[in-house]
Amino acid sequence: MREAPRARPSRDPLGLRRALADRLLVALVAAMALLAALALAGRAGADRLAERWRAGAAAAVTVQVPEPSPERMARALAVLRGRAEVAAAEAVDPERMAELLRPWLGGVADLPLPGVIEVRLADLGADPQALGVAVAAEVPGAVTEAHGVWVAHLTALAGAVQALAFGVLALVAAVAAAVVGVAVRAGLSARRDAVLVLHGLGATDADVAGRFARRAAVLAGAGAAAGAVLALPVLALLAALAGPLAGEAPWEALPWMDLLLLPVMAALVAWLATQATVRRWLRRLP
Amino acid sequence: MPRAGGHNSAMVRFSRVALAYPDARGRPGPEVLRDISFTLGEGSFTWILGPSGAGKSSVLRLMQAALRPSAGEVELLGVPLSRARRRDLPPLRRRIGVVHQEFRLLSHLSAWDNVALPLRLARVPEARVQADVAELIEWIGLAGKEDRRPEELSGGEQQRLTLARAVVTRPALLVADEPTSELDARQARRTLALLVEMNRLGTTVVVATHSEDLPGRHPARMLMLEAGRLVGDA
């Protein structure tokens, strides 16, 4: 009988440390994590810009009515609301206008201000110039400004970028799962005899799949962490460029939580993909 | 009529068993076993004899729950294989020790870890693993070589290591397929002695061999196979 227990029992009966190609898998997952980090940053940036622009684009078109008597304002509103391309037209409260202008003009009570009507277009492709001509014909002196249309276009573009980022993320996750599946199938081929021995010794599918899945999850998590770290300088540069547009400090613009979650999500995708691959392989055995 | 070999409780029961391996398309191929019936009682020692290709290994694979019969029924430790759910088979396999002709040791593990493997799969506490493996390593005469990899051991030592791995969980049934075919006469005698010792301790032992000498060294019940049929039971 031995006197002292062995200090280091093997925790890797399948020899997966050598069978699952660690460098290649880690490198591939790191590359995909880098892409995912860029997509996440793009999504986060587009999200912030869209939110900021959306507020500015509350009125795609504004109409200014000099000498804003109730009749002139009512006529202008009637013209606007009667046109098909207009979704909504609302007069801005004069008190709110005065409040908005107070920092620049001070509290001059009798200063003549134009009436302002905010117009939302039903279709951003509509011609705001035609709208301005129609209003000016009924209410002489009325001026139409359509700079908000551009903001609305940018907001729509930001939304498209967000959707695209989600698509890229889904694609990256799918490719990562496929890469892990290929690596695991290669590992199963390399360790076929060992898997059969464990199966014969009474290992359950969960035992065998769990060993592969833990190894794949660790490798994918490490790869994703490396990819996230590699993405940081690129993201910092982009954040510095976008800072003036987003109105916040560059480091604030980085998607820190997404970057921290990236290794966790990569590990989860790898774990699920490996479980599915190994269990499918084991189903061939009795 | 199957006989129980003079023992009370049936550990293995074959009832009109047929076996056909599937072909490349998954369809049943030609039958390698036909109409085989016998019963092995608890604590029995049985030789399965026959020339190469007689079906000995197929019978043993059925006894390891590594296959299900194509027809008839195989009952192992009270579990009918044809009706058992897939999840019922791993616990059954843990109660059956297997000694393979080609050893099937894991080359990346030490001798110690190879023997400890079944206990760790069964989630036995590590303190008991240490004690049981140490005892078995001593029993098979490999004390001092427990850190060696299988390829650093002789054929006889590897076979004894396989035997230790097969019995470390104290299985109810021990199945050995040509356990001495790769060994010289001295190592073969030693391996046989260990099998007989396991049987003396209460394990039901089944040994398949094509050797005509081996059964003479330990007289016991003999099942004779030929061309996939049971042709003798003595």
Side-chain angles (χ1 to χ4, degrees), chain A residues 62-69 73 91-92 94 97 112-117 143:
Chain A
T62 53
V63 177
Q64 295 174 29
V65 180
E67 301 167 27
S69 65
M73 288 296 284
V92 177
M97 278 294 298
L113 292 173
V116 175
I117 298 172
V143 176

Side-chain angles (χ1 to χ4, degrees), chain A residues 104-210:
Chain A
W104 289 274
L105 303 178
V108 183
D110 296 332
L111 190 70
L113 292 173
V116 175
I117 298 172
E118 289 180 345
V119 179
R120 280 189 166 280
L121 296 177
D123 173 13
L124 284 174
D127 179 13
Q129 250 185 338
L131 196 63
V133 170
V135 178
E138 283 294 320
V139 184
V143 176
T144 301
E145 286 188 359
H147 62 274
V149 170
W150 290 105
V151 176
H153 276 300
L154 288 173
T155 305
L157 180 63
V161 169
Q162 284 175 295
L164 191 64
F166 272 118
V168 169
L169 281 175
L171 189 64
V172 164
V175 172
V179 165
V180 168
V182 169
V184 167
R185 272 194 287 277
L188 279 168
S189 294
R191 286 291 180 261
R192 184 177 187 279
D193 289 345
V195 171
L196 293 179
V197 167
L198 259 67
H199 182 76
L201 290 174
T204 60
D205 290 0
D207 284 331
V208 177

Side-chain angles (χ1 to χ4, degrees), chain B residues 111-166:
Chain B
W112 178 283
D113 286 326
N114 265 288
V115 177
L117 188 55
L119 294 174
R120 288 181 175 141
L121 282 176
R123 293 182 172 78
V124 170
E126 194 60 27
R128 217 190 96 196
V129 172
Q130 299 287 335
D132 288 2
V133 174
E135 187 182 337
L136 269 175
I137 292 271
E138 189 88 29
W139 184 63
I140 60 172
L142 285 184
K145 296 183 176 178
E146 51 272 81
D147 287 329
R148 295 193 188 176
R149 307 270 161 170
E151 67 266 22
E152 296 170 329
L153 301 171
S154 70
E157 288 170 334
Q158 289 187 51
Q159 186 59 284
R160 279 182 274 143
L161 201 59
T162 307
L163 180 59
R165 186 181 67 184

Side-chain angles (χ1 to χ4, degrees), chain B residues 124-228:
Chain B
V124 170
E126 194 60 27
R128 217 190 96 196
V129 172
Q130 299 287 335
D132 288 2
V133 174
E135 187 182 337
L136 269 175
I137 292 271
E138 189 88 29
W139 184 63
I140 60 172
L142 285 184
K145 296 183 176 178
E146 51 272 81
D147 287 329
R148 295 193 188 176
R149 307 270 161 170
E151 67 266 22
E152 296 170 329
L153 301 171
S154 70
E157 288 170 334
Q158 289 187 51
Q159 186 59 284
R160 279 182 274 143
L161 201 59
T162 307
L163 180 59
R165 186 181 67 184
V167 302
V168 71
T169 53
R170 299 185 176 96
L173 173 65
L174 177 61
V175 176
D177 189 6
E178 305 279 6
T180 61
S181 64
E182 304 285 325
L183 308 179
D184 60 33
R186 184 171 155 273
Q187 295 287 3
R189 275 198 302 277
R190 192 164 182 182
T191 299
L192 178 59
L194 291 173
L195 291 169
V196 171
E197 175 68 3
M198 283 306 299
N199 180 238
R200 193 186 63 75
L201 293 171
T203 302
T204 303
V205 176
V206 182
V207 182
T209 181
H210 67 270
S211 163
E212 293 175 358
D213 302 337
L214 210 55
R217 293 190 200 140
H218 181 70
R221 184 182 177 191
M222 289 185 281
L223 300 176
M224 279 156 284
L225 291 173
E226 201 172 292

